[in-house]
Amino acid sequence: MASGVGLATITHDNDVLDVWFPHPVLGPHASERLGIDEAEDPLRRVTTRRVATFADLDAPPADVPDAYLRLHLLSHRMVKPNEVKLDGIEDLLTTVIWTDAGPCSTREFELVRRRLRSRNRGVAPRVYAVCKVPRMLDYVVPSGVQITQADSVRLGAYLPEGTVVLPTGDVEYNAGCRAAQVIDSRVPTGTFL
């Protein structure tokens, strides 16, 4: 079992775009402290809400918060790749437009872009990616690790202290290495070097 209290980004259509778990735990006793309040962002057409999530790690993820909790556990080095079930995670997660203004829905994004550009006096939001699994460094920064390009490591990557990810390296979710090393090539999902 694992648990966490997180902050979910939810669209007006009730799609969960992401969940940030600052203090996930193994066991049922997640910390209540977040340090961030719930809020509404009318420009992105989303709200952020607190969610409490409990996951049976021997069963597949039940929903989006459960999937994000498992990805956080991996990046926080609380579990290792292939130790928890991630069956069906790609079907659960929503395709998201990841921007410097936060996660955005793919629905009506051009309207959201215009609103953000207007707020920023003509400067468009920066779009980092359009995919289901976000960059790890936007959620978790593991101690003792060097990552030269944030885009090259997904949330759910397992990187021990002393690991260096070079510009040519790429680490997917549920992947990583057992001991510190220099990663200069792709480490696909399910691979534990």
Side-chain angles (χ1 to χ4, degrees):
M1 160 125 343
S3 58
V5 175
L7 200 61
T9 306
I10 303 172
T11 69
H12 290 210
D13 298 326
N14 284 323
D15 290 331
V16 178
L17 299 180
D18 78 328
V19 186
W20 172 56
F21 290 101
H23 307 288
V25 297
L26 292 174
H29 306 293
S31 170
E32 289 287 331
R33 66 186 168 122
L34 272 179
I36 297 176
D37 293 325
E38 297 181 347
E40 184 161 345
D41 184 340
L43 297 179
R44 288 188 297 137
R45 301 177 44 98
V46 298
T47 58
T48 52
R49 292 187 208 140
R50 292 173 192 255
V51 294
T53 302
F54 299 88
D56 175 356
L57 301 179
D58 292 328
D63 55 20
V64 173
D66 184 341
Y68 266 88
L69 178 60
R70 293 164 197 249
L71 295 174
H72 278 76
L73 292 170
L74 283 157
S75 289
H76 279 286
R77 304 179 191 132
M78 300 172 83
V79 296
K80 294 178 180 163
N82 304 316
E83 283 186 352
V84 298
K85 288 207 180 262
L86 293 172
D87 305 7
I89 194 170
E90 294 274 342
D91 295 329
L92 284 175
L93 297 178
T94 305
T95 299
V96 174
I97 299 176
W98 304 100
T99 76
D100 61 352
C104 298
S105 173
T106 56
R107 287 189 214 112
E108 300 179 353
F109 178 69
E110 291 310 318
L111 173 62
V112 170
R113 186 195 310 259
R114 281 195 303 274
R115 289 176 176 169
L116 291 169
R117 182 173 226 143
S118 177
R119 179 191 70 189
N120 296 334
R121 296 185 173 100
V123 177
R126 184 170 179 209
V127 175
Y128 299 119
V130 180
C131 59
K132 293 186 177 198
V133 181
R135 305 181 312 179
M136 178 179 73
L137 295 179
D138 292 337
Y139 296 82
V140 178
V141 178
S143 61
V145 171
Q146 295 180 48
I147 299 170
T148 56
Q149 292 184 4
D151 292 335
S152 64
V153 180
R154 299 283 121 214
L155 182 63
Y158 182 96
L159 302 175
E161 284 201 37
T163 298
V164 176
V165 182
L166 296 177
T168 54
D170 181 62
V171 186
E172 295 296 325
Y173 73 91
N174 197 33
C177 48
R178 298 175 201 283
Q181 61 181 280
V182 175
I183 297 175
D184 63 354
S185 60
R186 185 169 184 270
V187 182
T189 295
T191 303
F192 196 35
L193 306 171

